[in-house]
Amino acid sequence: MTPPDDGQPQEKIQGHAGELAVAVARAHGVTTQFTLSGAHVFPMYDGAVKADPPMRLLDVRHEQTAAFAAEATGKLTRTPGLAVLTAGPGVTNGVSAIAQASFAGSPMVVVGGRAPQNRWGSGSLQELDQPPILESVSKLARTLPTADTVLGGFDEAFTAAGGSHRGPVFVDVPMDEFFNSAEGPAPVGPGRAPLEPDAEAVAHVGTLLAEASRPVLILGTDVWADGAEEAALRLVEGLGVPAITNGMGRGIVPGGHPLLVTKARSKALGGADLVVVVGTPLDFRLGYGVFGGKDGATPARVVHLADSPGQVAGHAELAGSASGDLTAVLEGVQTAVERAPRKPDWSAWVSDLQDAVSAAVERDRELLTAEADPIHPARIYGELVPRLAEDSVVIGDGGDFVSFAGKYVEPKRPGGWLDPGPYGCLGAGLGAAIAARIARPSAQVVLLLGDGAAGFSLMDVDTLVRHGLPVVMVMGNNSAWALEKGPMQMLYGYDVVADLAQRTPYHRIVEALGGAGEEVTDPKQIGPALDRAFAANVPYLVNVITDVEAAYPRSTFGI
């Protein structure tokens, strides 16, 4: 943020608008511009090159990848990612990623080129009024009309993107003004005060939890985004409450933890008398906020805790809610429970859920070790999961194949799981892999690809190769849009437009782009292929041919 006028001399900076924009971005923690070359945004590149030290420029093969990389950067670093897209089609190619960021609460700033103001209305190249297109999926979308407005406008953009509730912000600058110079106060970066929760609302939630006999805690993406992962784990362990994690909440309660009951999700949510949902919307993934109530049973009471007031569900019947800085919210709830007149005893409930987790692990073992021909998708995870390091970043880009990942991959640390979130957008994976390799240079980075999803962005393996970013890609190749094929057969007795070419050698595409890979058709060879991929230190695709009939058993189609 720009420092206030307190009567003291303020440091000034000057330069063309691109240099000023880069200075603001750097003050807000940005280290990389994700882009695809376009003349409308040349000043952003010049500003990056001339910065001291220079800002990294990471150029991709499709603007969607640049925007998805910025979105993933925001998720992984909790600092706004930056995508710089040229005017017109460059901007519109990034809309899906911006929408994904809006749904997922990912902090990012997208800078668009814009046709020159002095030619506006004359039909210059790629003349398009872009902010109205982005308004519905952005926290802010505006044009900065002159070079003089860039310092303040960019500071506002990054401050909004990184403040609760986080999300994408779009700004564009007319091309002629981008090249013009201006002067103003030197940017000093974010200075956000945490949102203080209502103490009475938090205490009421604590009372509800203390009175519950069978509570379940659901921890979602915003717990990580708001930096509340340590407070969440303290609450779980300190109170002994069973927990389920989703999105970037995965890993907050480490995989294998005795209070992590994600594998007993159905029993937990079906039998709970109180469900406390933290940092994730009550959308289709959570039954729209209705839990239990089957066979005449009383539905569970529901509490929703969010990082800002606007995120508290308005469509669900809530027994309690609170919003604000999630560390303060969770600490307040824990304190209220610990001070309650009666200390709750959930040991029998936890034991039942732990038994259900153990039974699920036993059931899973059969599929995770399956010798089926064609290969069952679960067998891939039976080989992959034991090979994942604690610091691994696992990225899901696909439908049916990635659904299995959600079932079998339980991260050991928070901040190591990326998926499309509730927007469900395919094609995000290569951008996310690029971002993960930059943000976590020493970690394993594993991209799980459906063969359908690969068609959206596999060309950006070229980007991985050019920039020296090794990533292990594991593909479940069932030659179909399996997420649609099964439901259509169920509804109509047949399917159309759901098949892809049989056994396409996608690994050959990766090889042609400068990476490496191999096809696997024998389940016994999955493990050795993964070992070769992790050892290769280049972008490497393990193309596993899987059984299209082995569909993920799902209880919802997202409607």
Side-chain angles (χ1 to χ4, degrees):
M1 58 190 295
T2 303
D5 185 1
D6 57 5
Q8 299 298 316
Q10 295 180 14
E11 182 183 352
K12 298 278 188 177
I13 63 169
Q14 62 181 2
H16 63 66
E19 292 174 305
L20 301 181
V22 168
V24 175
R26 172 156 281 161
H28 282 267
V30 173
T31 60
T32 301
Q33 278 187 44
F34 298 101
T35 193
L36 191 156
S37 186
H40 288 86
V41 289
F42 276 179
M44 289 293 295
Y45 306 156
D46 187 62
V49 169
K50 292 179 178 176
D52 185 18
M55 178 177 283
R56 183 174 193 162
L57 289 166
L58 195 295
D59 63 311
V60 301
R61 297 299 301 270
H62 193 302
E63 285 93 355
Q64 68 169 6
T65 300
F68 280 127
E71 194 252 355
T73 297
K75 285 176 174 173
L76 290 166
T77 68
R78 298 181 282 201
T79 295
L82 174 61
V84 178
L85 311 179
T86 197
V91 169
T92 55
N93 280 345
V95 171
S96 289
I98 296 168
Q100 175 168 296
S102 180
F103 276 76
S106 308
M108 66 183 292
V109 172
V110 177
V111 179
R114 186 177 176 90
Q117 192 63 32
N118 62 12
R119 286 289 188 185
W120 196 261
S122 302
S124 59
L125 176 67
Q126 296 167 344
E127 182 180 302
L128 178 68
D129 190 16
Q130 295 154 162
I133 298 173
L134 279 302
E135 282 176 352
S136 68
V137 290
S138 303
K139 292 185 71 174
L140 294 172
R142 60 176 296 206
T143 295
L144 304 178
T146 65
D148 289 333
T149 63
V150 164
L151 277 172
F154 269 71
D155 183 71
E156 179 189 29
F158 279 98
T159 299
S164 298
H165 179 65
R166 296 157 187 81
V169 172
F170 175 81
V171 294
D172 62 11
V173 181
M175 186 178 184
D176 48 345
E177 289 293 330
F178 234 152
F179 283 88
N180 284 342
S181 294
E183 180 184 75
V188 295
R192 309 177 193 93
L195 297 175
E196 290 297 324
D198 180 271
E200 290 187 7
V202 171
H204 176 60
V205 172
T207 298
L208 291 172
L209 184 54
E211 293 174 348
S213 298
R214 299 179 308 281
V216 174
L217 190 68
I218 299 177
L219 302 172
T221 292
D222 291 335
V223 179
W224 162 258
D226 214 37
E229 66 275 10
E230 292 181 5
L233 184 58
R234 285 196 301 269
L235 184 148
V236 169
E237 294 182 332
L239 300 182
V241 62
I244 293 169
T245 59
N246 74 4
M248 290 201 74
R250 290 171 176 267
I252 290 174
V253 183
H257 193 288
L259 290 169
L260 181 65
V261 298
T262 305
K263 291 184 181 298
R265 174 188 173 111
S266 179
K267 181 178 180 65
L269 298 182
D273 64 349
L274 179 72
V275 178
V276 181
V277 180
V278 192
T280 192
L282 300 178
D283 57 21
F284 70 92
R285 298 169 300 171
L286 294 178
Y288 303 102
V290 178
F291 306 101
K294 294 181 180 180
D295 302 322
T298 302
R301 292 184 296 176
V302 179
V303 167
H304 198 194
L305 306 178
D307 65 359
S308 56
Q311 294 303 303
V312 175
H315 65 273
E317 183 177 343
L318 300 177
S321 66
S323 61
D325 176 73
L326 285 177
T327 293
V329 170
L330 292 168
E331 289 178 344
V333 170
Q334 182 172 353
T335 297
V337 174
E338 290 171 343
R339 291 177 178 174
R342 180 183 67 85
K343 183 173 177 60
D345 180 6
W346 301 319
S347 57
W349 168 237
V350 169
S351 180
D352 283 348
L353 295 179
Q354 290 172 337
D355 289 344
V357 169
S358 297
V361 170
E362 286 302 312
R363 289 194 303 272
D364 291 345
R365 186 170 287 116
E366 181 179 354
L367 291 179
L368 293 170
T369 59
E371 298 288 343
D373 181 14
I375 294 170
H376 194 289
R379 176 61 187 268
I380 300 172
Y381 296 104
E383 299 291 343
L384 175 64
V385 169
R387 289 172 166 82
L388 293 176
E390 283 201 10
D391 68 346
S392 62
V393 180
V394 178
I395 302 158
D397 189 7
D400 212 66
F401 178 56
V402 173
S403 295
F404 284 100
K407 182 178 178 65
Y408 298 124
V409 178
E410 289 191 334
K412 297 289 187 181
R413 297 181 186 177
W417 171 272
L418 292 172
D419 62 27
Y423 195 51
C425 190
L426 296 183
L430 264 295
I434 291 165
R437 176 46 69 217
I438 292 172
R440 309 276 175 83
S442 63
Q444 284 181 340
V445 177
V446 179
L447 171 57
L448 305 171
L449 275 173
D451 53 328
F456 287 82
S457 60
L458 197 61
M459 189 66 198
D460 264 300
V461 167
D462 171 76
T463 302
L464 293 173
V465 171
R466 285 186 295 110
H467 290 275
L469 305 173
V471 169
V472 172
M473 295 165 280
V474 184
M475 175 179 286
N477 184 350
N478 59 14
S479 305
W481 298 102
L483 200 61
E484 287 70 37
K485 187 179 182 73
M488 191 171 185
Q489 289 175 341
M490 180 187 71
L491 289 170
Y492 296 115
Y494 68 91
D495 66 85
V496 293
V497 297
D499 290 311
L500 298 170
Q502 292 293 307
R503 290 182 58 164
T504 298
Y506 295 99
H507 56 291
R508 299 293 186 200
I509 299 172
V510 173
E511 290 173 348
L513 294 172
E518 59 186 286
E519 181 184 85
V520 178
T521 58
D522 180 350
K524 293 185 177 65
Q525 294 305 311
I526 297 171
L530 291 173
D531 290 336
R532 288 187 287 273
F534 282 120
N537 203 35
V538 297
Y540 198 108
L541 176 62
V542 180
N543 179 17
V544 185
I545 308 303
T546 61
D547 184 1
V548 72
E549 299 298 328
Y552 183 79
R554 57 190 68 255
S555 58
T556 176
F557 296 131
I559 57 176

